């Protein structure tokens, strides 16, 4: 693998995480439990899609084949997507969505913060631009974990259950392979072991305040970063890609 | 080859004052601080802008508005470039912009130091644009557009938008 190929792969992983979780949150549009929270999720979705656009645009530049970010979003098949499995998990109920967001946003915040120090100035710029937006996401997610975890008996139980269900997807966030190694060596990428320490701290503190129990690290699901996805991604793409594939020249 | 006098830039900036944010039409792109630079590169006019939020859906419209307003005034050879760095901050809102916001019914952002407090969830004093009371309460950090939070005034009971710090 050349440095250029590794960088392209790395950018896809970051961009696809944002794109897919952004799309998932967008599915809440018009379905939120109350208007304010509907609006909140859609705002966060919009941030994710905007960030995805910046990352994928850069991926296209690095690739140098004349593709655009729209080509990457709408014309790739599931095995070409590099998002972690966590991001594609279904919305479930309100608590499931919040727990998924919590696990991801707390990771994304530490990751993006570290990324602002990247030796690749384009990547550092995108990270800097995204970081304040992601701070809001993280704050929102942690607030809700505490509110519902330390809420009623029913809300507590639902949050604990959602946490148990989604925990097995948290491990992949920190798995590293040769792409990560190359990027770390170049000073471009981030050491996920370091991110994990910060993530553990935030997660533990928040769960404690939320009176929720941190699940044991058991078997961790993985595959998304290598293009091996759960069945859910196919459904997401079917919806997301239908229009541009059926009507390639469609204009807004 | 035409010679472009330096004063041209001032004129062009005047033209661009007519380009407003489609979501908050009382603010020009200069008020918002998203108009970063206007310069000649040879015979080409380069206009540099920066997005407020990564996903700001208004950017495309603003870009088209810039092209169209300049074209009306006879500037055809124009390129609008969007840059991410340095990242936009609410501190770039002009003082006029802040006043216009409040008159329009949107509480202007507190200064950057309030940023950190927002994230820590500590209280701060957002002033109700209607009755000027500081006895207000945040309902949601996310409002009608990416840049706003939703507040309610405890005195006059009116809900209002707060242009949140970034
Ligand atoms: Zn009031």
């Amino acid at each position: 693998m050349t440095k250029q190929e590794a960088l392209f792969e790395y950018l896809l992983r970051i961009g696809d995480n944002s794109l897919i979780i952004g799309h998932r949150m967008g599915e809440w549009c018009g379905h939120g439990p109350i208007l304010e929270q509907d609006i909140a999720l859609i705002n966060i979705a919009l941030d994710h899609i905007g960030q995805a656009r910046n990352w994928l645009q850069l991926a296209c530049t690095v690739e140098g084949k004349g593709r655009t970010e729209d080509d990457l979003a709408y014309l790739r098949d599931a095995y070409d997507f590099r998002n972690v499995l966590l991001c594609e998990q279904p919305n479930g109920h309100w608590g499931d969505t919040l727990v998924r967001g919590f696990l991801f946003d707390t990771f994304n915040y530490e990751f993006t913060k570290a990324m602002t120090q990247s030796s690749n100035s384009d990547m550092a710029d995108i990270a800097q631009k995204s970081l304040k937006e992601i701070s809001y996401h993280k704050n929102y997610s942690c607030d809700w974990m505490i509110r519902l975890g330390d809420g009623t008996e029913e809300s507590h139980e639902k949050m604990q259950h959602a946490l148990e269900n989604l925990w097995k997807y948290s491990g992949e966030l920190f798995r590293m392979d040769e792409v990560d190694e190359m990027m770390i060596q170049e000073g471009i990428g981030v050491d996920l072991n370091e991110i994990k320490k910060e993530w553990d701290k935030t997660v533990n503190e928040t769960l404690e305040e939320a009176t929720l129990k941190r699940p044991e690290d058991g078997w961790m699901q993985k595959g998304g970063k290598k293009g091996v996805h759960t069945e859910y991604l196919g459904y997401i793409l079917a919806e997301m890609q239908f229009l541009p594939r059926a009507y390639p020249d469609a204009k807004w | 080859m035409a010679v472009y006098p330096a004063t041209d830039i001032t004129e062009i900036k005047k033209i661009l004052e007519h380009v407003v944010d489609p979501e908050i039409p009382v603010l020009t792109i200069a008020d918002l601080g998203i108009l970063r630079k206007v310069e000649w590169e040879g015979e080409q006019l380069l206009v540099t802008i920066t997005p407020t939020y990564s996903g700001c859906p208004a950017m495309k419209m603003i870009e088209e508005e810039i092209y169209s307003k300049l074209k009306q005034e006879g500037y055809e050879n124009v390129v609008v470039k969007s840059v991410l760095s340095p990242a936009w901050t609410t501190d770039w809102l002009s003082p006029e912009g802040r006043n216009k916001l409040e008159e329009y019914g949107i509480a202007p952002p507190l200064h950057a130091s309030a940023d950190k407090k927002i994230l820590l969830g500590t209280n701060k004093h957002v002033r109700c644009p209607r009755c000027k009371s500081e006895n207000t309460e945040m309902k949601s950090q996310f409002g009608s557009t990416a840049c706003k939070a939703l507040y309610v005034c405890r005195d006059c009971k009116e809900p209002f938008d707060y242009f949140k710090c970034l």
Side-chain angles (χ1 to χ4, degrees), chain B residues 128 130-133 153 155-158:
Chain B
C128 168
R130 194 184 140 93
C131 75
K132 316 296 177 208
S133 160
C153 175
D155 285 335
C156 74
K157 312 291 182 202
E158 284 290 324

Side-chain angles (χ1 to χ4, degrees), chain B residues 1-6 8 40-45 74-77:
Chain B
M1 194 180 122
V3 178
Y4 299 99
D8 231 357
W40 287 107
E41 278 206 345
E43 290 184 41
Q44 194 171 61
L45 183 64
Y75 297 93
E76 303 261 351
N77 192 1

